Amino acid sequence: MARTRATDFEEKRRGILDNAAAVFAEQGMEKASMSQIATHSSVSKALLYHYYPSKDALIYAIIITHLEELDEAIQAADDPNEVPEKRLRRLVGVVLENYRGADNQHKVQLNATSALSDEQKAGITAIERRIVRRFSNVLKEINPELDSKERPLLMPVTMSLFGMMNWVYMWFRDGGRITREDYADVATTLILEGIKAVR
């Protein structure tokens, strides 16, 4: 007979992921141990291994959960019928809001992918490409010339926008002199004004 899941399975799983992300972000992927993660999560090593059989499995779960939630939030907020400029601003705002409180998960995503198997990397890459494609489609709608065969700039411009969003955790502090909403306006304006001059 199959073993039934505890009613708090998902809650415990999420707690482990959040605590593990904190340990990985602080200690680094190599130095962090399953023992440290179990202690930080206030669970036994046996229970930790019940949820995640290896450190690689844990790293993958942190990254894929973070990306799936981001992808779902972007999809829910996106409206293809909206004016492209406003649509872009909304998507930038959703990404920055989704990053709130997720600095540790974001650091793991940026720094730990190399520790994963090719199959795990492929799963992560598929979601990342889906997210990037949604933004590049909006940018192409705003300036079709970015997708010129003679000078293909759509991907460089798209990734420049992601650079502004993905590295915000390095300097941004909630409660500081600029809000996430303010920065979403700044990042969107920089891209919108910049692509007008791109030739």
Side-chain angles (χ1 to χ4, degrees), residues 93-188:
V94 167
V95 170
L96 293 177
E97 183 57 36
N98 196 265
Y99 286 173
R100 186 191 299 271
D103 286 357
N104 293 329
Q105 289 83 348
H106 196 61
K107 289 175 187 176
V108 174
Q109 178 194 350
L110 292 174
N111 299 315
T113 307
S114 60
L116 303 178
S117 69
D118 289 343
E119 184 179 355
Q120 289 170 326
K121 289 177 185 176
I124 288 169
T125 300
I127 300 177
E128 289 175 334
R129 285 178 177 169
R130 188 160 63 238
I131 292 170
V132 168
R133 192 179 308 116
R134 192 176 292 271
F135 278 82
S136 65
N137 287 342
V138 179
L139 289 168
K140 180 179 177 181
E141 191 174 346
I142 293 169
N143 184 355
E145 291 183 14
L146 292 175
D147 200 30
S148 164
K149 289 184 179 180
E150 292 73 26
R151 198 156 184 259
L153 295 172
L154 183 59
M155 191 51 61
V157 169
T158 304
M159 297 316 295
S160 294
L161 174 57
F162 272 92
M164 285 192 279
M165 296 188 294
N166 286 347
W167 293 101
V168 72
Y169 80 92
M170 294 288 289
W171 60 268
F172 183 86
R173 295 295 176 267
D174 283 311
R177 297 175 68 180
I178 183 172
T179 66
R180 287 177 186 273
E181 292 75 17
D182 291 333
Y183 184 64
D185 288 337
V186 169
T188 305

Side-chain angles (χ1 to χ4, degrees), residues 23-24 27 29-38 48 55:
V23 174
F24 283 130
Q27 299 291 328
M29 311 307 146
E30 294 297 325
K31 291 183 179 179
S33 68
M34 294 295 270
S35 295
Q36 289 174 316
I37 292 166
L48 177 59
K55 196 160 72 169

Side-chain angles (χ1 to χ4, degrees), residues 60-88:
Y60 176 71
I62 291 168
I63 298 173
I64 205 73
T65 300
H66 177 58
L67 285 174
E68 285 174 346
E69 290 176 351
L70 176 61
D71 188 35
E72 289 171 7
I74 291 171
Q75 184 176 351
D78 193 19
D79 180 3
N81 296 316
E82 194 169 31
V83 175
E85 291 79 3
K86 289 185 177 180
R87 183 182 175 195
L88 180 65

